[in-house]
Amino acid sequence: MACCALMMPEEVQNISACSDPLTENNQNSFLHSTLEQFIAAKTRTLKIDTTDAVAVIELQRYLTEQQNVGQHPPDSYSYDVIVTDGVWQAKCILDCSLNHLIHKNIIRSGIDINITQCSFVFNERRLGQGCVCIEKIEHGSKESNVLRKIKDLDSLPMISKDGFGNIVALQSDSPLQVGRKHYLSLWNNEDPEGRLWVPDVPPSDVVLDVSKMTLLCDLESSLGCMFRPLPLIVRVIHKSRLRYYGKPDLKIYYPYQAYFEVADQSGTMSLVLWNELCPEWYQRLNVGTVLYLQNYTLKQSYQNRSRPHIDNHRMKSFHSVEICLNPRNPTAVLTVVPAKSVPPQWGLPEVSYQFAIRSELDSLASNSACDVIGLVTFVSRVERIKSKGNTGPEKYWTYRWVHAVDGTSNIPFILEIFASSQPEIFNGLYPMTYLVCTQMRKCQEQDSLPYLTSSCETQIFTTGYHKGQPYVSDPKVKSFIQWTKTLKDSVMLKKTAVGGHYCFPHAPIIFTQSVADGSAQVPLVAANDLKSEMEGLHYREHKRLAIQGQIMAVYYVTLPEETLSDQQMVQSVVAESDPPSDQRTVEVTQTLINRETAPSSVQSSPSRRKRKQAKRVMKRCYITRARMQGKREAGHGLTEEELGEEESDSETEEVSSLEKRTDQTRASGQLGPPDIPQSEGATGERAVADCDRTSWESSSWPKQRQEVLEYLHPGGVYSESLSQRFRFDDKTLLLQQSNLHAARWTPEQTTDTLSPVTCKGYYKITILGINQQMAIDAAFVPVMSSGDPRSVGLTQDPHDNTLLSCLSAGFICPLADPLSQSEVALPEPGEILATAEELKDTHLVCILDLCHLGGEKVEVIITKVYRMTDIALV
């Protein structure tokens, strides 16, 4: 069991010293009474028979402290959880047996839980140190009733029990394990987390002694010398994302590292910021910053790392030596020089950029670096991918896809943006803003459009962050701004989308596999391995896999436009519907994904709207639940001045102008989804009719279904699976839905969801593994419009709209144009399913995208199938 610790004496306060009003409320506090039971019972473990709900305010992650030499902890990371009963807050450690509930985003901020068992764990190496460990809980609420009643959360003090049996108030933001000094971001290791990270502040005026200085070109000869090198004056020209290198047995409190490329009149060299200096300086050192460096050290450069591409042929790069800034031995001294205090005689080079326009991208060499600027039209949901080849604790990269246009091509930039240690910008990306990405790398794969992916040195900037950046005077940036002045906001808004399933590049036309080692572009796995692959996924983790099999059944599922309260599309057997389940106790051996049982029932949650359930007479029915967002928020636009010195005023003016034009367009009926019925009852009737006539089943499936060892039933399509049209009024909700779940609850956090506007239904495909032991349901959501972000780069060769050709191509032919006045006659689902008989006994390779969406929701999307004639062995 992971141990936990309380704060040092100066960080706690005896509860008797608290104010009288709080003391009077102690009898109404579940948390306070629980701590009193601990003291009275004189026991280490406390089972709580009668519990009141407490709300989860925040989850905090940090590297697990190694307890014994040579003994590896059961999990690489520990979690502190802050809960409240409405009177007090309490910070507790979560027992490692419950960590998987955070991995699956089951325990998350903003929900209520019931604590049924906890213990007090002493720190055996520190006197009077220890804290409460939560060992068992019950959960089940989607929205917290406790938090809804709290007016001022910050006014509630935080309490715990110390090792001397006192109830004390905590006043520290440190981890409960005293061997750790800082928290990590909840979902990745690259983003700064916590108050110890000093924010960027304008530098103060300084007086420098520049009588004895050295240049970068002289440092190579100084390597190994006993004397301390002279001060340096350099300009930062590139900045990398943070690197966290912590391990459980590593005795370094702040194991961080960040690379910078710096330059003076003689050339460029790498600079490394180490350990404690990262929280103090990382966010204050930006591209363009001028530094006066003292007490630095030199060491031989680490060669096995990526380097930014520096486009300045007049400058020499020194790669054999790098500058190290250490917190001690010696303690480096950094001074930021204000821009107004930098004289020309220092000869510091200006920051240069390599902006590429979209029409030039095809001609760039693969893996070449470039900078881009564009108007954002699409922002995907944030996903995670497990880092490969990592020798330390497991870690996940977070990333999202973005489309941006610059007016030089009909095809947008396709950008794969990984977290760059700029969480406010990364999480704040949305359409209709100007995006600048630096040091992007071109990727070109077979049968695919080129796309750009992040490098370690990529920095991103969007609305509110352009002011003062060196690129504002670049000619290509100015040309782009002039182009945006010719755009109509109402037209561009129709081309926007947020969230939904998105994976690029698209599957290749021919599936190839190596005869030597079995490797393929997409890993080919056994159907029997799918269950373990799904169960092993963490929250928002994405995997693309391929399986061999046959399609045995297809059902077309209509998505009702008027939705209920939960985002999940649930299969429900009406004749044998189980009652909604209440809270359930979480045990260590709990199975999170149990797909062998009958389809689950729908658990209702509070709603502000009247809800109706569509009644079905079929064996299966498909329903959704969601609520519309009522809160309105003004949009944000951008003008050329925002990229210069007048950002605030120009941004306000642009916002007002854009909001006015958007409202006028909405009033005239030009925006918003067409053909959405207003009648809730009509939606249910149409869904029933479609279910009646749009299904196909192989004649051999009923018998084979009885013989399969396991049949997996993922939940189909969820609200997170479908992209939404961007609307400024819904910006907050759209960002919340597409981003990862927040580590800390805020009053703006909501459980509401938006109903999909770009998709009327999907095909539920039943795939039987080639050895007929495992079957799985996957959702096929064909591309039907050129306005769908997934249509970009899709090979759009005409086909005959049979079900097999649609599955092979990924779209229904021809794609509709959302901006066209004329309507394209697309085949109805029934017409497509009428051709499904050709699937019978057809051996296929199916490409599946798996993504864990939180809780027990695992999205399984089939994106392409290959016939045996489309497969090559190499």
Side-chain angles (χ1 to χ4, degrees):
M1 179 182 300
C3 106
C4 46
L6 201 61
M7 302 299 103
M8 297 301 290
E10 62 271 15
E11 297 171 327
V12 303
Q13 178 184 0
N14 195 292
I15 207 67
S16 60
C18 295
S19 58
D20 291 338
L22 289 175
T23 305
E24 294 173 0
N25 287 333
N26 289 343
Q27 58 184 351
N28 300 322
S29 170
F30 166 77
L31 294 174
H32 191 275
S33 64
T34 300
L35 292 178
E36 286 184 328
Q37 290 181 56
F38 255 128
I39 296 173
K42 302 294 183 181
T43 182
R44 178 183 169 276
T45 301
L46 181 66
K47 293 185 178 180
I48 307 171
D49 297 327
T50 304
T51 68
D52 292 336
V54 295
V56 178
I57 301 173
E58 185 172 7
L59 297 171
Q60 299 173 310
R61 182 175 69 105
Y62 52 96
L63 194 66
T64 296
E65 185 178 10
Q66 188 173 14
Q67 299 301 307
N68 299 306
V69 178
Q71 179 181 350
H72 294 285
D75 198 330
S76 300
Y77 302 100
S78 296
Y79 296 89
D80 292 345
V81 55
I82 300 177
V83 296
T84 181
D85 57 8
V87 181
W88 295 94
Q89 299 182 58
K91 180 190 277 191
C92 310
I93 194 171
L94 200 68
D95 187 80
C96 62
S97 65
L98 301 181
N99 285 3
H100 67 285
L101 298 178
I102 296 180
H103 299 163
K104 305 291 185 181
N105 201 39
I106 293 174
I107 298 180
R108 59 191 182 273
S109 63
I111 67 167
D112 288 343
I113 61 174
N114 290 76
I115 302 172
T116 60
Q117 181 173 312
C118 54
S119 64
F120 190 83
V121 182
F122 290 91
N123 187 316
E124 298 182 9
R125 297 185 180 93
R126 300 287 185 97
L127 294 175
Q129 303 261 331
C131 79
V132 176
C133 175
I134 299 175
E135 295 183 337
K136 291 185 180 180
I137 66 167
E138 292 177 347
H139 65 91
S141 70
K142 180 184 177 184
E143 188 174 10
S144 171
N145 294 319
V146 175
L147 291 172
R148 189 183 306 164
K149 302 172 184 177
I150 300 175
K151 296 181 179 179
D152 185 6
L153 184 62
D154 293 334
S155 66
L156 303 182
M158 189 178 297
I159 60 171
S160 189
K161 173 181 178 290
D162 68 11
F164 299 115
N166 302 314
I167 298 178
V168 294
L170 292 183
Q171 299 174 345
S172 172
D173 190 35
S174 300
L176 292 176
Q177 291 186 7
V178 295
R180 301 301 175 201
K181 300 299 182 183
H182 70 94
Y183 289 112
L184 296 166
S185 175
L186 185 59
W187 303 118
N188 68 28
N189 290 349
E190 287 70 49
D191 291 340
E193 178 69 23
R195 293 195 294 265
L196 82 135
W197 292 85
V198 179
D200 185 24
V201 293
S204 56
D205 293 335
V206 295
V207 178
L208 305 175
D209 179 11
V210 296
S211 59
K212 295 182 179 181
M213 305 292 296
T214 190
L215 296 175
L216 294 176
C217 60
D218 299 325
L219 295 182
E220 286 187 319
S221 60
S222 302
L223 182 65
C225 295
M226 298 300 295
F227 59 86
R228 184 170 298 175
L230 294 174
L232 274 172
I233 293 181
V234 293
R235 187 190 301 275
V236 177
I237 59 174
H238 290 290
K239 177 181 180 179
S240 75
R241 61 171 172 250
L242 281 168
R243 174 177 173 262
Y244 179 76
Y245 62 93
K247 297 180 181 180
D249 57 349
L250 187 64
K251 302 301 182 182
I252 297 177
Y253 286 143
Y254 302 94
Y256 283 100
Q257 176 197 64
Y259 270 93
F260 299 82
E261 296 299 316
V262 297
D264 65 9
Q265 57 185 298
S266 66
T268 67
M269 186 175 287
S270 295
L271 177 149
V272 194
L273 199 64
W274 287 97
N275 303 335
E276 291 97 317
L277 293 183
C278 286
E280 183 180 356
W281 286 100
Y282 180 78
Q283 297 189 112
R284 298 158 67 184
L285 303 185
N286 300 304
V287 173
T289 298
V290 175
L291 292 174
Y292 180 75
L293 302 177
Q294 299 170 279
N295 286 5
Y296 57 89
T297 60
L298 300 173
K299 74 169 187 176
Q300 190 172 355
S301 180
Y302 179 64
Q303 299 298 324
N304 190 23
R305 71 175 184 91
S306 66
R307 294 180 183 273
H309 180 75
I310 300 175
D311 183 35
N312 195 326
H313 301 294
R314 297 170 299 175
M315 299 179 64
K316 184 177 180 181
S317 296
F318 305 104
H319 293 320
S320 62
V321 175
E322 60 188 26
I323 303 166
C324 295
L325 303 180
N326 301 300
R328 62 187 64 85
N329 300 323
T331 301
V333 178
L334 294 77
T335 304
V336 176
V337 183
K340 63 181 180 180
S341 302
V342 179
Q345 54 265 33
W346 286 357
L348 297 178
E350 295 297 327
V351 180
S352 62
Y353 292 89
Q354 302 168 273
F355 278 99
I357 58 177
R358 181 58 186 85
S359 59
E360 300 173 343
L361 185 60
D362 293 344
S363 61
L364 294 181
S366 182
N367 202 39
S368 60
C370 66
D371 310 309
V372 295
I373 183 171
L375 175 68
V376 176
T377 56
F378 165 68
V379 177
S380 77
R381 69 191 181 201
V382 178
E383 293 182 345
R384 304 197 297 157
I385 186 170
K386 197 171 186 177
S387 175
K388 296 181 180 179
N390 183 39
T391 57
E394 65 176 12
K395 62 180 180 180
Y396 288 81
W397 302 109
T398 56
Y399 69 97
R400 70 192 324 163
W401 292 91
V402 173
H403 290 180
V405 295
D406 67 356
T408 66
S409 172
N410 293 328
I411 302 174
F413 286 112
I414 303 173
L415 308 173
E416 183 185 31
I417 301 178
F418 286 83
S420 56
S421 304
Q422 301 169 284
E424 294 83 5
I425 301 178
F426 182 82
N427 295 326
L429 289 173
Y430 61 91
M432 299 299 289
T433 58
Y434 298 170
L435 174 66
V436 170
C437 300
T438 65
Q439 289 294 308
M440 301 291 285
R441 301 279 176 168
K442 180 187 175 183
C443 297
Q444 181 76 67
E445 298 190 16
Q446 186 179 5
D447 305 326
S448 173
L449 285 176
Y451 67 97
L452 297 173
T453 189
S454 298
S455 66
C456 289
E457 297 79 22
T458 291
Q459 296 278 285
I460 59 176
F461 304 93
T462 187
T463 303
Y465 297 90
H466 295 300
K467 183 178 179 180
Q469 297 299 329
Y471 55 73
V472 296
S473 58
D474 189 280
K476 289 188 177 179
V477 172
K478 291 185 176 181
S479 176
F480 168 78
I481 298 300
Q482 291 301 315
W483 168 73
T484 60
K485 294 181 178 180
T486 66
L487 301 177
K488 292 184 179 180
D489 302 317
S490 59
V491 174
M492 294 307 299
L493 279 167
K494 290 181 179 180
K495 300 178 180 180
T496 62
V498 178
H501 164 265
Y502 183 92
C503 189
F504 196 87
H506 300 292
I509 297 175
I510 301 296
F511 185 89
T512 60
Q513 186 181 40
S514 170
V515 177
D517 59 8
S519 61
Q521 311 105 310
V522 179
L524 186 63
V525 301
N528 288 342
D529 295 334
L530 283 177
K531 182 178 180 180
S532 61
E533 292 283 358
M534 293 166 59
E535 290 178 340
L537 291 174
H538 282 206
Y539 172 55
R540 286 284 182 92
E541 182 182 357
H542 173 266
K543 279 188 179 181
R544 170 167 279 192
L545 303 172
I547 63 168
Q548 299 183 70
Q550 300 177 28
I551 293 177
M552 307 304 297
V554 184
Y555 298 89
Y556 183 76
V557 183
T558 299
L559 302 181
E561 291 88 352
E562 194 69 32
T563 55
L564 299 178
S565 68
D566 189 17
Q567 60 266 49
Q568 184 177 2
M569 317 306 175
V570 182
Q571 298 184 39
S572 173
V573 181
V574 175
E576 298 178 338
S577 177
D578 296 329
S581 59
D582 294 327
Q583 298 174 335
R584 52 194 175 94
T585 302
V586 179
E587 301 295 312
V588 176
T589 59
Q590 176 188 10
T591 302
L592 291 179
I593 303 178
N594 183 5
R595 302 301 182 189
E596 303 175 49
T597 59
S600 60
S601 61
V602 178
Q603 180 175 338
S604 62
S605 62
S607 175
R608 303 185 188 98
R609 310 181 58 176
K610 183 179 179 181
R611 299 177 292 183
K612 294 182 179 179
Q613 180 172 340
K615 296 183 178 179
R616 309 292 172 92
V617 295
M618 294 291 293
K619 182 179 180 181
R620 293 179 177 87
C621 72
Y622 302 88
I623 57 178
T624 66
R625 300 187 298 165
R627 287 178 294 177
M628 296 300 294
Q629 168 78 346
K631 184 178 178 181
R632 301 304 188 194
E633 181 177 334
H636 293 278
L638 208 56
T639 65
E640 180 178 7
E641 289 78 7
E642 194 274 340
L643 293 173
E645 290 99 13
E646 303 295 335
E647 182 180 43
S648 299
D649 293 340
S650 64
E651 185 177 342
T652 303
E653 181 180 354
E654 180 73 10
V655 168
S656 300
S657 176
L658 179 57
E659 184 178 344
K660 181 178 180 180
R661 287 195 294 270
T662 303
D663 291 341
Q664 291 172 348
T665 308
R666 186 183 295 111
S668 65
Q670 297 178 13
L671 277 183
D675 305 323
I676 291 184
Q678 300 299 316
S679 168
E680 192 171 20
T683 301
E685 293 170 3
R686 190 181 73 178
V688 172
D690 284 347
C691 284
D692 281 335
R693 68 173 183 271
T694 51
S695 64
W696 170 85
E697 188 176 276
S698 172
S699 58
S700 61
W701 176 230
K703 180 178 183 299
Q704 289 175 313
R705 180 173 182 174
Q706 303 300 319
E707 298 174 352
V708 296
L709 300 179
E710 195 154 24
Y711 185 3
L712 303 179
H713 298 278
V717 165
Y718 305 84
S719 63
E720 298 97 326
S721 306
L722 305 172
S723 61
Q724 316 285 339
R725 178 78 51 77
F726 177 74
R727 294 172 292 273
F728 283 109
D729 292 338
D730 299 321
K731 187 187 79 171
T732 299
L733 180 56
L734 288 169
L735 286 176
Q736 177 184 304
Q737 187 168 297
S738 62
N739 286 329
L740 298 172
H741 194 88
R744 182 174 178 82
W745 178 85
T746 61
E748 295 78 21
Q749 192 169 315
T750 175
T751 59
D752 290 349
T753 59
L754 293 172
S755 56
V757 300
T758 60
C759 178
K760 295 182 179 180
Y762 69 94
Y763 296 84
K764 184 171 76 74
I765 310 290
T766 300
I767 306 168
L768 178 65
I770 195 65
N771 286 322
Q772 302 183 5
Q773 295 178 335
M774 169 77 75
I776 185 173
D777 289 338
F780 174 56
V781 187
V783 177
M784 302 184 66
S785 166
S786 60
D788 190 324
R790 299 173 300 155
S791 69
V792 178
L794 196 64
T795 303
Q796 298 180 16
D797 296 332
H799 60 84
D800 56 4
N801 282 329
T802 63
L803 181 57
L804 182 55
S805 65
C806 290
L807 286 165
S808 299
F811 69 97
I812 294 179
C813 184
L815 292 181
D817 184 357
L819 300 181
S820 175
Q821 299 297 325
S822 59
E823 294 186 2
V824 177
L826 296 176
E828 293 294 326
E831 299 176 58
I832 294 176
L833 281 172
T835 67
E837 193 64 27
E838 68 174 318
L839 293 171
K840 186 177 180 180
D841 299 327
T842 302
H843 184 180
L844 301 170
V845 172
C846 305
I847 305 298
L848 303 178
D849 280 345
L850 312 182
C851 188
H852 195 288
L853 300 179
E856 296 185 4
K857 298 185 299 182
V858 179
E859 172 190 87
V860 180
I861 302 287
I862 182 169
T863 57
K864 186 177 178 63
V865 300
Y866 293 94
R867 290 167 268 202
M868 289 299 102
T869 55
D870 299 327
I871 292 174
L873 298 177
V874 295

